[in-house]
Amino acid sequence: MQKGSFYIHAQDFLLFRKTTDEVSVITRQISKIIFKKHINSFLDIGSGSGELTKTIVKKFKIKNTIAIDRHNFDKKWFKNIIFIKTDWLKFIYPKKFDFILSAHSMGYLSFKQAEKGIRKIYDYLDENGCAVIIVYDNQGNWPDFKKIFYPKNKLKKSTVDYIEPIISKYNFREKIFFTKIYAKNIKQMLQISRFLGEKYISSYLKENKKISIFLQKFQKGNKTIVFPLKHRLFILYKNKKFLNNFSFSSFTNRPQKGAGKWKTHDFSLLW
């Protein structure tokens, strides 16, 4: 990504973060999973603006956190959060984690990369830990939005479609939840959705008019836009005793056994 285009991407992303309830909704979902568990170590994969990372760390009083992303959007991290500018597939660390989060970072990976990435998440989990992987669902407004400008060959499979068979190799639960984007008007929503369409930005810009018409369906009487997004949340865990401490009444259960160990290289501990 060129410097100029990254600046535009960063501005669009920060506007998206400002206008969505995603952080509060995801935090509530995570609360239902780890509310009885003491989390000592937390790894956030694709931390983005850092807002979600910091909210979780503060709410659950987590002492040791590593946040990784290819870009550093936030220069003001808490003292107990170490930010590492890196790609998840290149990340190496000698310790395992109580809790790992990947919120919408899997959408940037190919099938082979996702397969490697999910196995790596599983292998970096502490024996009694859990991981949460969140992606956009393959139904609802998100796939309808993509149909306007995504190449046809890229619409055959969504992120959910290709990570489900990967996740099914491990012990997991899943559920669906919704977030909303609140934009002042169509113009602002076009800027926000430009971030959502970043993978195929040239196609997005060409179809600006069609996208505007599509977004009008979500316009209220005062011209504001309320755009709901449907998400799929997967919980990965190693030890079945993990289930004894939590209420999963709203989660689907399709557990299977996971795989082997990921090789790491030793270096100085960060905590």
Side-chain angles (χ1 to χ4, degrees):
M1 187 181 286
Q2 294 178 348
K3 190 174 180 181
S5 61
F6 173 70
Y7 175 78
I8 293 170
H9 162 78
Q11 295 304 305
D12 294 347
F13 173 70
L14 294 173
L15 180 60
F16 165 75
R17 274 299 192 204
K18 188 178 178 181
T19 55
T20 180
D21 61 2
E22 193 172 281
V23 169
S24 59
V25 174
I26 290 176
T27 303
R28 284 199 302 272
Q29 294 298 326
I30 289 170
S31 295
K32 296 173 185 177
I33 300 164
I34 65 172
F35 73 103
K36 287 184 180 179
K37 184 175 174 63
H38 173 70
I39 303 296
N40 182 57
S41 55
F42 167 39
L43 172 65
D44 190 7
I45 302 167
S47 54
S49 66
E51 187 182 357
L52 179 58
T53 318
K54 290 189 283 190
T55 301
I56 292 169
V57 167
K58 187 176 180 180
K59 182 174 179 64
F60 300 104
K61 299 176 182 178
I62 303 172
K63 293 181 179 180
N64 306 301
T65 296
I66 291 179
I68 67 171
D69 202 293
R70 286 178 289 182
H71 305 290
N72 189 5
F73 291 94
D74 188 354
K75 306 296 182 183
K76 297 179 181 179
W77 291 94
F78 294 163
K79 289 181 180 179
N80 53 343
I81 299 175
I82 295 171
F83 175 79
I84 301 175
K85 189 176 179 181
T86 187
D87 186 281
W88 168 233
L89 297 179
K90 295 176 182 177
F91 175 80
I92 299 172
Y93 190 69
K95 283 194 171 186
K96 298 194 177 188
F97 297 86
D98 297 328
F99 178 56
I100 299 175
L101 174 65
S102 167
H104 297 294
S105 55
M106 286 294 155
Y108 295 92
L109 304 180
S110 66
F111 176 84
K112 287 185 178 180
Q113 288 173 327
E115 192 171 34
K116 188 177 178 181
I118 291 169
R119 180 186 172 116
K120 192 171 180 179
I121 287 173
Y122 185 86
D123 290 335
Y124 264 104
L125 270 182
D126 183 76
E127 190 62 30
N128 296 310
C130 72
V132 169
I133 297 173
I134 299 171
V135 297
Y136 290 118
D137 196 49
N138 55 2
Q139 296 179 7
N141 299 322
W142 174 240
D144 290 342
F145 170 71
K146 290 198 298 182
K147 286 176 187 176
I148 302 171
F149 63 95
Y150 263 50
K152 287 184 179 180
N153 65 319
K154 298 296 182 181
L155 292 170
K156 292 177 182 178
K157 279 193 174 184
S158 67
T159 306
V160 167
D161 294 328
Y162 70 77
I163 72 166
E164 268 191 321
I166 301 169
I167 289 176
S168 66
K169 297 175 184 177
Y170 305 90
N171 293 320
F172 81 100
R173 298 283 181 110
E174 65 177 290
K175 73 172 294 186
I176 287 169
F177 69 93
F178 292 84
T179 61
K180 292 178 181 177
I181 296 171
Y182 299 90
K184 292 178 182 178
N185 47 44
I186 290 284
K187 185 179 178 181
Q188 188 183 57
M189 188 63 206
L190 281 169
Q191 184 181 348
I192 296 165
S193 57
R194 186 170 63 188
F195 159 71
L196 297 173
E198 65 169 332
K199 278 188 181 180
Y200 303 101
I201 191 66
S202 58
S203 301
Y204 174 89
L205 295 173
K206 287 178 185 176
E207 300 296 348
N208 212 271
K209 191 173 181 179
K210 287 182 182 178
I211 293 167
S212 296
I213 293 168
F214 172 76
L215 293 173
Q216 285 173 13
K217 296 189 294 182
F218 306 95
Q219 198 165 30
K220 304 298 179 182
N222 59 357
K223 296 191 176 182
T224 58
I225 303 285
V226 179
F227 189 75
L229 284 168
K230 190 176 181 182
H231 308 253
R232 191 84 65 92
L233 183 154
F234 297 93
I235 305 172
L236 271 66
Y237 58 94
K238 285 186 175 179
N239 194 333
K240 289 187 178 181
K241 290 181 181 179
F242 170 83
L243 300 178
N244 298 334
N245 299 320
F246 306 101
S247 173
F248 286 110
S249 57
S250 60
F251 287 76
T252 304
N253 183 23
R254 288 187 279 164
Q256 288 184 338
K257 286 283 181 179
K261 301 293 180 185
W262 186 268
K263 292 181 181 178
T264 61
H265 297 283
D266 194 19
F267 60 93
S268 297
L269 302 184
L270 294 177
W271 62 73

